[in-house]
Amino acid sequence: MKDDLKEILLTEDEIQQICRQLGAEITKDYKGKDLVCIGILKGSAMFMSDLIKRIDTHLSIDFMDVSSYHGGTESTGEVKILKDLGSSIENKDVLIIEDILETGTTLKSITELLKSRRVNSLEIVTLLDKPNRRKADIEAKYVGRKIPDEFVVGYGLDYAEFYRNLPYVGTLKPEVYQNK
C-alpha cells in the first residue's frame, strides 16, 4: 500500500500530537457540560478513538453513517443518512468528529439536521481541513491541520474502501485513482 502513496503528510506521531492538542482545547471548552461526541462513519473512527482518549471530561459517544461520495473521489452533493443516532441529543452539547472537511456540503446537511433536534450547542472538530475546496458556508471550530487540495488516504480516510488502515495520512498517487 505504501507504494501507492506520493508522500506522507502526517506521521503517526504528528497525528497523536494533534489529538493531544485538540483534546486539551475540547476539555477546557466542555468541562462540566453534557457533551455528546458524534463520529461520522466510517472515516472518523480512528481519529475519534484517539481524540476522545485525550478529552478529560464526561462525555458520551454516538455515530452517524452518512454518504455523499458513493465510491468516487468527489462528493456528489447528495447526502444519504445510512445510520442515524441511537439516542436523543436534545439539550446537549454536540461535537461532530470528522476526518476531513472539504466541500462542506455533507457537514452542512448534518449540522442543520442536528441543530433541528434542539441541541444546546453544536461544533465540529476535524483532523484535516481543505479550505480551498469549500462550497458550503461551514467551518470547524477545532482543526488539526489544513492541507493542500490533494487526494489523501490513511488513518480512516479511504479510496474505494481501501487504505483506511494506514497509521498515517498520505497523498495517493493520481495514477492509482485516475481512469478507474
Side-chain angles (χ1 to χ4, degrees), residues 19-103:
C19 289
R20 282 190 291 276
Q21 175 205 340
L22 292 174
E25 289 178 49
I26 293 165
T27 297
K28 184 175 71 96
D29 292 350
Y30 287 94
K31 202 65 133 177
K33 295 188 177 183
D34 198 356
L35 177 61
V36 179
C37 294
I38 299 175
I40 307 302
L41 297 172
K42 299 173 189 169
S44 72
M46 291 176 79
F47 176 50
M48 181 173 181
S49 175
D50 286 342
L51 177 64
I52 64 172
K53 292 180 220 173
R54 307 296 185 185
I55 300 173
D56 187 19
T57 190
H58 293 284
L59 59 84
S60 61
I61 64 171
D62 209 336
F63 296 92
M64 290 183 81
D65 191 356
V66 183
S67 176
S68 65
Y69 283 79
H70 313 298
T73 60
E74 296 282 332
S75 175
T76 63
E78 175 190 347
V79 177
K80 292 183 183 178
I81 296 177
L82 306 174
K83 181 214 172 292
D84 205 343
L85 300 176
S87 47
S88 173
I89 56 172
E90 187 172 347
N91 298 320
K92 299 194 179 191
D93 296 287
V94 173
L95 180 63
I96 297 173
I97 300 178
E98 185 62 290
D99 54 354
I100 189 166
L101 175 53
E102 293 183 85
T103 66

Side-chain angles (χ1 to χ4, degrees), residues 35 46 53 57 83 99 108 113 119 132 150-151 166-167 172:
L35 177 61
M46 291 176 79
K53 292 180 220 173
T57 190
K83 181 214 172 292
D99 54 354
K108 184 75 170 169
L113 172 67
V119 299
N132 296 352
E150 294 189 72
F151 195 74
L166 291 171
L172 198 58

Side-chain angles (χ1 to χ4, degrees), residues 74-168:
E74 296 282 332
S75 175
T76 63
E78 175 190 347
V79 177
K80 292 183 183 178
I81 296 177
L82 306 174
K83 181 214 172 292
D84 205 343
L85 300 176
S87 47
S88 173
I89 56 172
E90 187 172 347
N91 298 320
K92 299 194 179 191
D93 296 287
V94 173
L95 180 63
I96 297 173
I97 300 178
E98 185 62 290
D99 54 354
I100 189 166
L101 175 53
E102 293 183 85
T103 66
T105 55
T106 302
L107 269 179
K108 184 75 170 169
S109 295
I110 293 169
T111 57
E112 288 171 1
L113 172 67
L114 296 180
K115 283 179 183 177
S116 75
R117 296 179 182 177
R118 296 184 292 256
V119 299
N120 282 345
S121 67
L122 188 140
E123 296 293 347
I124 299 165
V125 57
T126 186
L127 175 63
L128 304 172
D129 186 13
K130 284 188 190 178
N132 296 352
R133 304 260 306 155
R134 201 80 77 245
K135 292 180 182 173
D137 183 23
I138 191 163
E139 297 296 327
K141 180 174 182 177
Y142 309 97
V143 175
R145 177 81 49 93
K146 290 186 179 185
I147 62 168
D149 187 13
E150 294 189 72
F151 195 74
V152 292
V153 295
Y155 197 67
L157 295 147
D158 77 299
Y159 170 64
E161 294 299 324
F162 294 109
Y163 305 100
R164 290 189 193 276
N165 56 317
L166 291 171
Y168 44 78

